[in-house]
Amino acid sequence: MKLSNRITNITGGGSDGWDVFYRARQMKDAGQPVLELTIGEHDIRTHPDILHAMHKAAMGGHTGYAMVPGTDALRDTVAQRIADRTGVPTTRDNIMITSGGQAALFASHHAVCDEGDRALYIDPYYATYPGTIRGVGAIPVPIQTRPEDNFQPQPDVIAAVAKGAKSLLINSPNNPTGVIYNRDTLDGIATVCRENDLWLISDEVYDTQIWDGTHISPRALPDMADRTLVIGSLSKSHAMTGSRIGWVCGPAEVVEGLINLSTHTTYGVPGYIQDAATFALNQGPQVETEVGAPFQHRRALTISALAGQNVVRAVPIQGAMYAMLDIRATGLSGEAFSNALLDAEMIATMPGESFGQAAAGHIRVAMTIDDDAYTDALSRLVAFAKTCT
Ligand code: PMP
């Protein structure tokens, strides 16, 4: 029996640069002491207070079907948070609760793209982006950024392919580059969206992890609230990756459509998880600062570890939990370097190429292991890079 083209084509085929990741996992499973700097997951777990809130909600009976768009309490909490942070009037009618940011990305593209529409996204990109776009039947169109621009998107490059496209997906603070889009970039992107009647899908799941610069949500830019869908999640902000809880914030009529989609797919998100999320968001910014603090600290460790040499150079780490390292001075591709580093030092990193062509000659390091091991890994990485030149 034949599967649908849509599901068969989600991954797009071809090598995706993830081989080194799977090889590292195999080595680890075979008992080898591999240091994994690969996946964007905290080395701390969800705070026990949040788990107690989840337990209390479940024991209190919130285990039946929950409201499909999300509980009123969580939608109100998210709406208030967004209104406070951006100044854009936001109510629960603008909020759809989803099973994490990933489901929010899928639902958003589903809401705005028809079969065969061109959906733009910025390269380098979070690994699931093209597959998410293919998954709704649209055509993914990558827009390259350049290391010499520190991977800031250039609005004129977007404008050159925007005609006739349906949507543009952006991500700031960015995974994999750690870059935060500045005001000029975002103003330029907003102009391109208005002039070409594009929906803007703004993935802001790292918006609590800002180390240098300011996070601006493009929904707050002039005339953008009616065409912007913001993706949010508690995965990164509250170390709740496994709870699968996030949201889409957008115009009320989009949320109406998303409710229909959810009714026919997930039928909502578990009530006790939503209660825990409401509790977590109401803990205030201190908790979010604490969750992000190890990355801010390791950002400083990264800068010191790379000082005094220029074989391995870091793209400015402005936000999120990653360091994008330029290893072009070794003459190797990101993929060749990552593979060689794994073999020589048992340190697993992600080749830049696994995030698109724009990050060729780079590797992404997730700053997600304890400080001592992280510092040791970086000094071995630099020493290894020097042997390649
Ligand atoms: N967007 C970006 C940029 C991410 O890095 C991730 C997770 N790594 C997600 C969305 C999805 O996160 P989640 O589904 O856990 O909220």
Side-chain angles (χ1 to χ4, degrees):
M1 293 293 287
K2 189 178 172 304
L3 289 177
S4 73
N5 290 333
R6 184 175 285 179
I7 203 161
T8 312
N9 292 336
I10 282 184
T11 57
S15 162
D16 56 9
W18 280 69
D19 301 354
V20 60
F21 171 75
Y22 294 117
R23 208 158 64 78
R25 277 282 152 98
Q26 274 168 6
M27 287 165 70
K28 208 167 174 183
D29 290 347
Q32 291 180 282
V34 175
L35 275 179
E36 285 195 89
L37 302 173
T38 46
I39 287 287
E41 178 140 40
H42 319 66
D43 47 329
I44 56 162
R45 301 284 87 184
T46 308
H47 196 284
D49 289 352
I50 300 176
L51 298 179
H52 283 135
M54 197 181 289
H55 182 252
K56 198 169 142 219
M59 294 305 281
H62 206 174
T63 53
Y65 290 123
M67 298 284 286
V68 169
T71 63
D72 289 350
L74 181 55
R75 292 172 86 199
D76 287 346
T77 299
V78 171
Q80 191 61 52
R81 173 187 180 88
I82 291 173
D84 290 347
R85 291 165 75 104
T86 63
V88 184
T90 308
T91 71
R92 79 169 68 136
D93 294 338
N94 301 114
I95 307 297
M96 173 78 200
I97 302 301
T98 60
S99 297
Q102 180 55 45
L105 284 162
F106 182 84
S108 298
H109 283 92
H110 207 294
V112 303
C113 290
D114 280 311
E115 193 78 31
D117 278 342
R118 287 163 67 244
L120 315 180
Y121 65 107
I122 307 294
D123 179 349
Y125 51 84
Y126 171 49
T128 67
Y129 283 2
T132 302
I133 292 169
R134 282 189 212 98
V136 306
I139 301 168
V141 180
I143 298 173
Q144 308 258 324
T145 55
R146 301 186 309 168
E148 49 274 45
D149 299 324
N150 284 333
F151 296 107
Q152 283 284 326
Q154 303 298 307
D156 55 331
V157 177
I158 303 174
V161 293
K163 202 167 169 3
K166 193 54 82 64
S167 59
L168 168 64
L169 170 58
I170 61 171
N171 170 224
S172 176
N174 187 267
N175 175 13
T177 62
V179 166
I180 293 180
Y181 297 179
N182 61 38
R183 178 167 279 280
D184 285 351
T185 300
L186 287 166
D187 280 341
I189 285 174
T191 304
V192 174
C193 290
R194 286 187 299 258
E195 287 180 356
N196 294 279
D197 202 19
L198 294 183
W199 288 95
L200 182 62
I201 300 175
S202 178
D203 179 343
E204 302 180 21
V205 302
Y206 293 100
D207 69 349
T208 59
Q209 297 177 359
I210 312 292
W211 319 133
D212 177 21
T214 312
H215 171 68
I216 300 166
S217 176
R219 180 168 173 264
L221 298 178
D223 296 327
M224 287 305 288
D226 286 345
R227 61 171 72 251
T228 304
L229 305 181
V230 175
I231 310 298
S233 169
L234 280 89
S235 284
K236 313 293 173 175
S237 59
H238 292 81
M240 289 181 73
T241 47
S243 292
R244 312 307 306 129
I245 182 99
W247 62 81
V248 179
C249 171
E253 55 277 20
V254 176
V255 171
E256 284 295 320
L258 294 177
I259 295 171
N260 288 334
L261 178 64
S262 176
T263 303
H264 297 89
T265 51
T266 56
Y267 208 82
V269 175
Y272 51 92
I273 304 266
Q274 295 195 61
D275 288 350
T278 308
F279 171 86
L281 291 172
N282 284 321
Q283 294 302 288
Q286 182 58 27
V287 173
E288 296 158 30
T289 306
E290 280 165 25
V291 170
F295 309 124
Q296 185 168 23
H297 180 58
R298 289 171 203 153
R299 167 185 186 266
L301 296 179
T302 310
I303 294 167
S304 344
L306 301 187
Q309 54 82 46
N310 50 23
V311 180
V312 181
R313 292 145 60 115
V315 173
I317 311 167
Q318 296 181 295
M321 48 175 83
Y322 312 100
M324 185 60 112
L325 306 183
D326 182 347
I327 49 87
R328 286 175 294 175
T330 63
L332 296 177
S333 68
E335 194 163 1
F337 184 87
S338 279
N339 271 306
L341 181 68
L342 180 60
D343 290 333
E345 295 290 337
M346 289 205 219
I347 297 171
T349 54
M350 292 299 293
E353 293 85 358
S354 52
F355 309 101
Q357 280 317 299
H362 290 67
I363 57 168
R364 189 195 74 173
V365 164
M367 303 186 286
T368 49
I369 57 174
D370 76 71
D371 294 358
D372 289 345
Y374 184 72
T375 311
D376 173 52
L378 278 192
S379 72
R380 280 160 53 203
L381 186 156
V382 170
F384 175 76
K386 287 181 181 161
T387 68
C388 300
T389 54

